PDB file of all heavy atoms in Angstrom:
ATOM      1  N   ALA A 444       2.962  43.104  23.394  1.00  0.00           N
ATOM      2  CA  ALA A 444       1.669  43.362  22.761  1.00  0.00           C
ATOM      3  C   ALA A 444       0.702  42.228  23.074  1.00  0.00           C
ATOM      4  O   ALA A 444       1.097  41.060  23.081  1.00  0.00           O
ATOM      5  CB  ALA A 444       1.845  43.487  21.249  1.00  0.00           C
ATOM      6  N   PRO A 445      -0.558  42.559  23.310  1.00  0.00           N
ATOM      7  CA  PRO A 445      -1.553  41.498  23.514  1.00  0.00           C
ATOM      8  C   PRO A 445      -1.699  40.650  22.245  1.00  0.00           C
ATOM      9  O   PRO A 445      -1.682  41.183  21.132  1.00  0.00           O
ATOM     10  CB  PRO A 445      -2.848  42.267  23.797  1.00  0.00           C
ATOM     11  CG  PRO A 445      -2.428  43.652  24.145  1.00  0.00           C
ATOM     12  CD  PRO A 445      -1.127  43.895  23.445  1.00  0.00           C
ATOM     13  N   ALA A 446      -1.844  39.361  22.407  1.00  0.00           N
ATOM     14  CA  ALA A 446      -1.903  38.443  21.267  1.00  0.00           C
ATOM     15  C   ALA A 446      -3.008  38.812  20.284  1.00  0.00           C
ATOM     16  O   ALA A 446      -2.823  38.687  19.066  1.00  0.00           O
ATOM     17  CB  ALA A 446      -2.097  37.014  21.767  1.00  0.00           C
ATOM     18  N   HIS A 447      -4.142  39.303  20.780  1.00  0.00           N
ATOM     19  CA  HIS A 447      -5.253  39.626  19.880  1.00  0.00           C
ATOM     20  C   HIS A 447      -4.977  40.868  19.026  1.00  0.00           C
ATOM     21  O   HIS A 447      -5.758  41.201  18.141  1.00  0.00           O
ATOM     22  CB  HIS A 447      -6.566  39.793  20.663  1.00  0.00           C
ATOM     23  CG  HIS A 447      -6.610  41.032  21.505  1.00  0.00           C
ATOM     24  ND1 HIS A 447      -6.059  41.083  22.763  1.00  0.00           N
ATOM     25  CD2 HIS A 447      -7.132  42.252  21.256  1.00  0.00           C
ATOM     26  CE1 HIS A 447      -6.242  42.304  23.257  1.00  0.00           C
ATOM     27  NE2 HIS A 447      -6.893  43.025  22.369  1.00  0.00           N
ATOM     28  N   GLN A 448      -3.844  41.522  19.269  1.00  0.00           N
ATOM     29  CA  GLN A 448      -3.458  42.689  18.487  1.00  0.00           C
ATOM     30  C   GLN A 448      -2.245  42.409  17.601  1.00  0.00           C
ATOM     31  O   GLN A 448      -1.617  43.336  17.114  1.00  0.00           O
ATOM     32  CB  GLN A 448      -3.153  43.873  19.413  1.00  0.00           C
ATOM     33  CG  GLN A 448      -4.398  44.437  20.073  1.00  0.00           C
ATOM     34  CD  GLN A 448      -4.060  45.627  20.940  1.00  0.00           C
ATOM     35  OE1 GLN A 448      -3.594  45.477  22.067  1.00  0.00           O
ATOM     36  NE2 GLN A 448      -4.293  46.805  20.409  1.00  0.00           N
ATOM     37  N   VAL A 449      -1.933  41.145  17.368  1.00  0.00           N
ATOM     38  CA  VAL A 449      -0.747  40.794  16.583  1.00  0.00           C
ATOM     39  C   VAL A 449      -1.125  39.840  15.452  1.00  0.00           C
ATOM     40  O   VAL A 449      -1.782  38.827  15.675  1.00  0.00           O
ATOM     41  CB  VAL A 449       0.332  40.138  17.475  1.00  0.00           C
ATOM     42  CG1 VAL A 449       1.543  39.716  16.653  1.00  0.00           C
ATOM     43  CG2 VAL A 449       0.749  41.082  18.600  1.00  0.00           C
ATOM     44  N   VAL A 450      -0.686  40.206  14.253  1.00  0.00           N
ATOM     45  CA  VAL A 450      -0.824  39.366  13.064  1.00  0.00           C
ATOM     46  C   VAL A 450       0.582  39.117  12.544  1.00  0.00           C
ATOM     47  O   VAL A 450       1.436  39.999  12.574  1.00  0.00           O
ATOM     48  CB  VAL A 450      -1.684  40.072  11.991  1.00  0.00           C
ATOM     49  CG1 VAL A 450      -1.561  39.402  10.642  1.00  0.00           C
ATOM     50  CG2 VAL A 450      -3.134  40.114  12.423  1.00  0.00           C
ATOM     51  N   MET A 451       0.823  37.910  12.050  1.00  0.00           N
ATOM     52  CA  MET A 451       2.136  37.540  11.518  1.00  0.00           C
ATOM     53  C   MET A 451       2.058  37.375  10.015  1.00  0.00           C
ATOM     54  O   MET A 451       1.143  36.728   9.511  1.00  0.00           O
ATOM     55  CB  MET A 451       2.600  36.241  12.172  1.00  0.00           C
ATOM     56  CG  MET A 451       3.921  35.713  11.675  1.00  0.00           C
ATOM     57  SD  MET A 451       5.293  36.794  12.142  1.00  0.00           S
ATOM     58  CE  MET A 451       6.688  35.771  11.720  1.00  0.00           C
ATOM     59  N   GLY A 452       3.016  37.933   9.305  1.00  0.00           N
ATOM     60  CA  GLY A 452       3.116  37.723   7.872  1.00  0.00           C
ATOM     61  C   GLY A 452       3.589  36.306   7.590  1.00  0.00           C
ATOM     62  O   GLY A 452       4.462  35.778   8.277  1.00  0.00           O
ATOM     63  N   LEU A 453       3.002  35.690   6.577  1.00  0.00           N
ATOM     64  CA  LEU A 453       3.364  34.321   6.195  1.00  0.00           C
ATOM     65  C   LEU A 453       3.487  34.290   4.675  1.00  0.00           C
ATOM     66  O   LEU A 453       2.504  34.142   3.969  1.00  0.00           O
ATOM     67  CB  LEU A 453       2.296  33.324   6.665  1.00  0.00           C
ATOM     68  CG  LEU A 453       2.489  31.865   6.227  1.00  0.00           C
ATOM     69  CD1 LEU A 453       3.771  31.281   6.810  1.00  0.00           C
ATOM     70  CD2 LEU A 453       1.279  31.033   6.632  1.00  0.00           C
ATOM     71  N   ALA A 454       4.694  34.488   4.194  1.00  0.00           N
ATOM     72  CA  ALA A 454       4.918  34.539   2.751  1.00  0.00           C
ATOM     73  C   ALA A 454       5.865  33.429   2.332  1.00  0.00           C
ATOM     74  O   ALA A 454       6.727  33.008   3.097  1.00  0.00           O
ATOM     75  CB  ALA A 454       5.502  35.894   2.359  1.00  0.00           C
ATOM     76  N   GLY A 455       5.693  32.993   1.109  1.00  0.00           N
ATOM     77  CA  GLY A 455       6.598  31.990   0.587  1.00  0.00           C
ATOM     78  C   GLY A 455       6.140  31.482  -0.768  1.00  0.00           C
ATOM     79  O   GLY A 455       5.009  31.719  -1.184  1.00  0.00           O
ATOM     80  N   ASN A 456       7.031  30.783  -1.433  1.00  0.00           N
ATOM     81  CA  ASN A 456       6.660  30.186  -2.714  1.00  0.00           C
ATOM     82  C   ASN A 456       6.906  28.681  -2.721  1.00  0.00           C
ATOM     83  O   ASN A 456       6.799  28.036  -3.743  1.00  0.00           O
ATOM     84  CB  ASN A 456       7.384  30.863  -3.877  1.00  0.00           C
ATOM     85  CG  ASN A 456       8.885  30.808  -3.737  1.00  0.00           C
ATOM     86  OD1 ASN A 456       9.417  30.143  -2.867  1.00  0.00           O
ATOM     87  ND2 ASN A 456       9.574  31.526  -4.584  1.00  0.00           N
ATOM     88  N   ASN A 457       7.219  28.121  -1.574  1.00  0.00           N
ATOM     89  CA  ASN A 457       7.407  26.685  -1.415  1.00  0.00           C
ATOM     90  C   ASN A 457       6.343  26.226  -0.422  1.00  0.00           C
ATOM     91  O   ASN A 457       6.393  26.572   0.760  1.00  0.00           O
ATOM     92  CB  ASN A 457       8.812  26.395  -0.891  1.00  0.00           C
ATOM     93  CG  ASN A 457       9.032  24.931  -0.605  1.00  0.00           C
ATOM     94  OD1 ASN A 457       8.355  24.342   0.233  1.00  0.00           O
ATOM     95  ND2 ASN A 457       9.992  24.350  -1.293  1.00  0.00           N
ATOM     96  N   MET A 458       5.373  25.457  -0.908  1.00  0.00           N
ATOM     97  CA  MET A 458       4.232  25.093  -0.061  1.00  0.00           C
ATOM     98  C   MET A 458       4.653  24.343   1.192  1.00  0.00           C
ATOM     99  O   MET A 458       4.167  24.625   2.280  1.00  0.00           O
ATOM    100  CB  MET A 458       3.214  24.275  -0.859  1.00  0.00           C
ATOM    101  CG  MET A 458       1.981  23.914  -0.048  1.00  0.00           C
ATOM    102  SD  MET A 458       1.095  25.333   0.654  1.00  0.00           S
ATOM    103  CE  MET A 458       0.245  25.905  -0.807  1.00  0.00           C
ATOM    104  N   THR A 459       5.568  23.397   1.076  1.00  0.00           N
ATOM    105  CA  THR A 459       5.990  22.625   2.245  1.00  0.00           C
ATOM    106  C   THR A 459       6.609  23.535   3.302  1.00  0.00           C
ATOM    107  O   THR A 459       6.255  23.462   4.484  1.00  0.00           O
ATOM    108  CB  THR A 459       6.988  21.523   1.829  1.00  0.00           C
ATOM    109  OG1 THR A 459       6.349  20.661   0.886  1.00  0.00           O
ATOM    110  CG2 THR A 459       7.446  20.719   3.036  1.00  0.00           C
ATOM    111  N   ALA A 460       7.506  24.416   2.883  1.00  0.00           N
ATOM    112  CA  ALA A 460       8.152  25.336   3.832  1.00  0.00           C
ATOM    113  C   ALA A 460       7.135  26.307   4.426  1.00  0.00           C
ATOM    114  O   ALA A 460       7.198  26.635   5.615  1.00  0.00           O
ATOM    115  CB  ALA A 460       9.275  26.092   3.141  1.00  0.00           C
ATOM    116  N   THR A 461       6.199  26.764   3.607  1.00  0.00           N
ATOM    117  CA  THR A 461       5.185  27.701   4.097  1.00  0.00           C
ATOM    118  C   THR A 461       4.276  27.019   5.113  1.00  0.00           C
ATOM    119  O   THR A 461       3.945  27.606   6.154  1.00  0.00           O
ATOM    120  CB  THR A 461       4.380  28.282   2.929  1.00  0.00           C
ATOM    121  OG1 THR A 461       5.281  28.899   2.001  1.00  0.00           O
ATOM    122  CG2 THR A 461       3.387  29.330   3.410  1.00  0.00           C
TER     123      THR A 461
END
Side-chain angles (χ1 to χ4, degrees):
H447 71 276
Q448 289 182 280
V449 178
V450 166
M451 178 67 169
L453 175 63
N456 58 8
N457 176 299
M458 182 57 77
T459 300
T461 304

